[in-house]
Amino acid sequence: PDAGFRLLALYKYWNIINYFFPYKYLTDKNWNDVLKEYIPKFILAKTELEYELTTLLLIGEVNDTHAHLTEGGNKLVELKGNWQAPFRIRFIENKWVVTDYYKPELKETTGLNTGDIITHIESKRIESIVDSMKIYTPASNEAKKMHRIATDLLRSRNKTIRIKYITSNQKKEK
């Protein structure tokens, strides 16, 4: 939307939190300062993706797992991709571990087993990917943030992704 509607969205959200959110005093910032900080960000968001990312940043200011984008976000979906690996991962003991398969029949095709540790995605260290995702992942605590990140970490715009992982103390790539 144009700058006027972007600002209107900011003001509406800010007012909802200011007048109806009982925990605004538990946020990391003074809520009045949040409005001043985000006015230029909402004005300068030139693309739909920039606007959606800025909106996620704003939503994250309340540190509430229940606050997230439920509609729109079309450019975020394009950014993340529509394809997803056939297995689930979780953040366990500071590692990204394969925990389950959405389609067990694809286990043989992927070559990864439950308990394997993912270290790289598309030649990027998984920690750096996660760090770049954290600010755009609203959640009330670190554990929930990592849970949400896990659902998007293996999404892609391509049908395949290159993964480096550790299995039985051996480094492998698939």
Side-chain angles (χ1 to χ4, degrees), residues 2-172:
D2 67 32
F5 279 108
R6 293 193 308 265
L7 285 176
L8 182 60
L10 167 63
Y11 296 148
K12 283 183 173 184
Y13 186 78
W14 185 88
N15 277 301
I16 289 168
I17 300 304
N18 192 55
Y19 294 109
F20 300 106
F21 187 61
Y23 308 110
K24 78 175 183 181
Y25 299 106
L26 298 177
T27 60
D28 296 335
K29 296 179 184 173
N30 179 311
W31 194 243
N32 292 324
D33 295 338
V34 169
L35 182 62
K36 293 173 196 167
E37 177 185 340
Y38 278 87
I39 288 173
K41 289 180 180 182
F42 270 72
I43 290 172
L44 294 173
K46 298 296 182 207
T47 66
E48 190 176 343
L49 178 60
E50 287 177 17
Y51 174 57
E52 291 173 7
L53 290 170
T54 303
T55 302
L56 275 179
L57 289 173
L58 174 66
I59 291 169
E61 296 288 356
V62 297
N63 303 323
D64 187 342
T65 300
H66 301 96
H68 53 86
L69 286 178
T70 57
E71 292 184 25
N74 301 338
K75 295 299 177 187
L76 289 172
V77 171
E78 284 179 27
L79 178 67
K80 294 174 185 178
N82 290 320
W83 297 99
Q84 187 168 357
F87 53 88
R88 234 177 244 145
I89 59 172
R90 289 185 55 204
F91 190 65
I92 302 171
E93 295 182 9
N94 296 319
K95 293 176 178 69
W96 291 94
V97 181
V98 175
T99 58
D100 195 12
Y101 272 80
Y102 297 111
K103 294 185 173 185
E105 63 272 14
L106 295 174
K107 184 176 180 179
E108 224 175 277
T109 305
T110 65
L112 280 89
N113 296 307
T114 303
D116 288 351
I117 300 166
I118 308 292
T119 60
H120 294 75
I121 299 172
E122 298 296 350
S123 301
K124 295 178 187 169
R125 288 182 52 243
I126 199 162
E127 293 84 5
S128 66
I129 298 168
V130 169
D131 287 344
S132 70
M133 294 173 76
K134 278 184 178 181
I135 63 170
Y136 298 109
T137 309
S140 55
N141 58 53
E142 192 70 9
K144 187 60 179 179
K145 188 172 285 224
M146 297 308 243
H147 175 76
R148 281 201 170 156
I149 288 172
T151 61
D152 288 335
L153 204 51
L154 295 172
R155 286 179 61 175
S156 176
R157 291 181 293 231
N158 302 315
K159 287 186 177 183
T160 60
I161 54 175
R162 185 168 274 332
I163 295 176
K164 291 182 182 177
Y165 62 102
I166 299 171
T167 184
S168 302
N169 291 323
Q170 293 181 335
K171 294 181 182 180
K172 292 191 175 185

